[in-house]
Amino acid sequence: MDGGVVRRIYRAAVLSVALLLSLLGFAVVQAPTPASAAMLNPYGFSVWGYQNRVTASGLKWVRLQRDWSSIETSPGAYNFTGLDQDVARANAAGVNATVPLQDAPSFRLTQVCTGVNLFPGPNEMSTFASIVAARYNGRNGHGYVASFEIGNEEYDGYWGGSWANTLPCRAANYYGPVLRAGYEAVKAQSPNALVGMFGMWWVDTGHVQTYMTWLYANGYGRYMDFANFHYYPGGNPAVTSGSTPSFDLEWKTIHAVQVAYGDGAKPVWCTETGWAVSSVNQGSNPVVTLAQQSQYLQYVLDSSRNSGVMQRVFIYMISDTGYDGMNIYTPSGPLPSYNMLESYMAQYPTWGAAPSPTPTPTPTPAPTPTPTPAPTPTPTPAPTAAPTPTPTPTPTPTAAPTTSPAPTASPSANPGQTRKASKAYPSAKPSGNATALVPSSSGSLNATGNFSAEVKNPGPLGGLGHLIAIIPNAIGSAGMMVVLWLSLGALFWVVLRVLTLLSVARRRRAAGF
């Protein structure tokens, strides 16, 4: 074989390898990969529509709330314009997004409780979750969502006018099958995205313990990458008052159930917490001072950072327009809580694991709860709107289901927070005047620090690698298919060319050349 043939074969082989590596590179770009450090980016804001101040703050997580009912406006008709814009802005800013699949339209509410259509069923959630996850999996031209939550607060926020009507509708048996359906649908379309449970809203220790125990006892704990709760006590987060837990007691209660069922390495998120400093869009919710708001938020951050269990905290809220009493950056300027947050992030850019992973959970969950049979979905009639109750003295509950604790405090008939101007779920959170902040204490930490892998944000952060990473979003799935077919065709041609040159070389050698 002469030198010219050898060189041609060598060049063809090099080209073949290069094309093969290119194909592998495109495959890698198409699928976002988990980050190596599970505790990166612990801070976030929960917002309605992406806000410019999220980018300016330097926080690396945003919780983008858009109601399902505003996206699927009629059966099978979807309008993703608002969420598309939110995700694009978050990706462009290098901010990771979590999206709660929340508040289904009335025609998807197939689960009925006390005669009211309240919740979507597993089939409805599976369909919607699949559509949303496929749209934002980083491969279809609409950007990437790093995390999804199966629900917001709706599974824990119904008020039926009395405790007898309310407690059965805050039972975990309505939610467990929906969680599994949503988890499996998201993972099928966007395998690297995190999937968490909805944000438990009722700040009641017994309820939190019972709800989590039912989920784990019935096998649904495996269908979440993180547990999730919202914390709106109205007052001091360092203090447990009756059935209302301190912030520490709430996450410890959740973690205790995880430990009891062998899932103690799973992290916990708090995807909403905040305190109102004015009554704007806050109804009769407690109003605290500017100093208290800052101190309370810092307590939550301190508790989370030192826990080894809490992985992320989202503050409700920040807004470019300042329309809400919980906004920590008003039109006239940042509040002390915002300045505290900036200093805190600079001092603690990430959170470490606790040094002593020896769990001694308090309280201890019941090991063998009695599961409540799952409700049978009914055909979807138009739901009957629950009337808005007015505060009255608390009626004594006539019956409490096995999946929900009877209230131990004496809240009003419909106490709690109504934070969002566009949504007001009645809850059972006792209200009251804020008390003086008790200095935080790290105490004994009962946790482990091994968290599941997180997801890198594939947005354009600069550099050649990030430029390559946004190619799939720019050209879309159809463009990627064209590139793939052209690359495969070129690779096939190179292989044929190499085989042809080898055949010619053999013939020339046999002929004595």
Side-chain angles (χ1 to χ4, degrees):
M1 194 184 317
D2 62 29
V5 173
V6 172
R7 285 191 296 272
R8 287 196 295 274
I9 294 175
Y10 176 77
R11 287 195 298 268
V14 170
L15 179 58
S16 176
V17 171
L19 285 171
L20 180 60
L21 291 176
S22 297
L23 288 173
L24 292 175
F26 275 116
V28 170
V29 168
Q30 285 287 79
T33 56
S36 58
M39 292 299 286
L40 293 177
N41 301 323
Y43 308 96
F45 280 119
S46 184
V47 298
W48 290 91
Y50 193 85
Q51 307 293 307
N52 291 328
R53 287 199 173 115
V54 173
T55 304
S57 71
L59 272 70
K60 293 303 180 184
W61 278 86
V62 64
R63 186 170 184 264
L64 301 172
Q65 297 192 75
R66 296 274 182 175
D67 287 348
W68 177 349
S69 59
S70 71
I71 295 173
E72 188 180 11
T73 53
S74 60
Y78 300 90
N79 180 358
F80 284 100
T81 301
L83 192 53
D84 280 351
Q85 293 173 350
D86 291 343
V87 173
R89 293 173 68 187
N91 286 176
V95 176
N96 299 300
T98 182
V99 172
L101 305 178
Q102 65 181 57
D103 298 316
S106 60
F107 51 83
R108 298 298 184 206
L109 302 179
T110 58
Q111 293 198 83
V112 179
C113 182
T114 62
V116 181
N117 291 71
L118 289 179
F119 315 114
N123 291 337
E124 289 76 25
M125 179 59 74
S126 179
T127 299
F128 185 65
S130 180
I131 291 171
V132 177
R135 188 175 186 87
Y136 302 113
N137 63 8
R139 299 192 295 269
N140 291 309
H142 299 288
Y144 184 69
V145 169
S147 167
F148 295 91
E149 300 156 47
I150 308 305
N152 177 35
E153 294 175 345
E154 60 269 41
Y155 299 93
D156 195 23
Y158 173 69
W159 175 253
S162 69
W163 283 112
N165 289 334
T166 295
L167 289 176
C169 303
R170 294 189 183 188
N173 58 287
Y174 286 95
Y175 180 66
V178 175
L179 171 63
R180 174 177 178 173
Y183 178 93
E184 292 179 337
V186 170
K187 293 294 186 179
Q189 298 296 332
S190 187
N192 290 322
L194 301 174
V195 182
M197 63 175 288
F198 83 105
M200 282 191 296
W201 194 30
W202 186 5
V203 184
D204 181 279
T205 307
H207 172 72
V208 170
Q209 180 185 10
T210 304
Y211 204 104
M212 292 300 300
T213 299
W214 192 97
L215 290 178
Y216 270 92
N218 289 276
Y220 294 108
R222 73 190 71 174
Y223 300 109
M224 63 177 91
D225 295 320
F226 57 90
N228 185 12
F229 71 100
H230 293 176
Y231 191 72
Y232 292 105
N236 190 346
V239 174
T240 294
S241 176
S243 64
T244 303
S246 66
F247 183 80
D248 308 70
L249 180 56
E250 177 136 359
W251 65 254
K252 287 179 180 179
T253 301
I254 295 171
H255 185 60
V257 178
Q258 294 173 318
V259 170
Y261 287 91
D263 202 20
K266 183 166 291 179
V268 180
W269 292 16
C270 177
T271 55
E272 284 190 32
T273 187
W275 283 262
V277 293
S278 81
S279 59
V280 176
N281 288 324
Q282 289 297 313
S284 59
N285 293 326
V287 173
V288 301
T289 67
L290 295 178
Q292 285 174 324
Q293 183 191 55
S294 179
Q295 291 170 337
Y296 292 170
L297 286 173
Q298 181 169 343
Y299 182 90
V300 166
L301 295 178
D302 282 339
S303 174
S304 300
R305 176 177 55 84
N306 291 318
S307 69
V309 173
M310 293 298 300
Q311 191 178 45
R312 189 150 293 112
V313 170
F314 291 77
I315 295 171
Y316 187 88
M317 61 170 304
I318 195 166
S319 171
D320 295 342
T321 58
Y323 71 90
D324 190 282
M326 286 190 177
N327 184 16
I328 67 173
Y329 199 123
T330 67
S332 60
L335 300 185
S337 53
Y338 182 90
N339 296 329
M340 177 278 298
L341 180 61
E342 284 202 323
S343 299
Y344 200 94
M345 289 191 299
Q347 186 175 3
Y348 305 108
T350 60
W351 296 344
S356 177
T358 308
T360 54
T362 302
T364 303
T368 55
T370 303
T372 300
T376 302
T378 63
T380 309
T384 303
T388 302
T390 56
T392 58
T394 302
T396 302
T398 58
T402 58
T403 56
S404 298
T408 57
S410 299
S412 61
N414 182 20
Q417 316 276 41
T418 53
R419 305 168 308 287
K420 308 178 184 69
S422 61
K423 194 67 60 177
Y425 298 110
S427 76
K429 291 196 249 30
S431 59
N433 294 327
T435 58
L437 179 68
V438 175
S440 61
S441 173
S442 58
S444 175
L445 300 176
N446 304 321
T448 59
N450 300 318
F451 298 121
S452 56
E454 302 209 11
V455 180
K456 287 182 179 178
N457 182 284
L461 303 178
L464 180 60
H466 293 102
L467 178 61
I468 294 174
I470 65 172
I471 290 175
N473 286 341
I475 66 177
S477 57
M480 285 303 301
M481 287 300 297
V482 172
V483 171
L484 181 61
W485 279 111
L486 289 176
S487 300
L488 287 174
L491 181 60
F492 183 68
W493 178 86
V494 169
V495 171
L496 287 179
R497 181 63 176 165
V498 169
L499 293 176
T500 301
L501 290 174
L502 288 174
S503 178
V504 169
R506 283 196 299 271
R507 288 198 300 270
R508 288 168 61 87
R509 188 169 57 251
F513 292 102

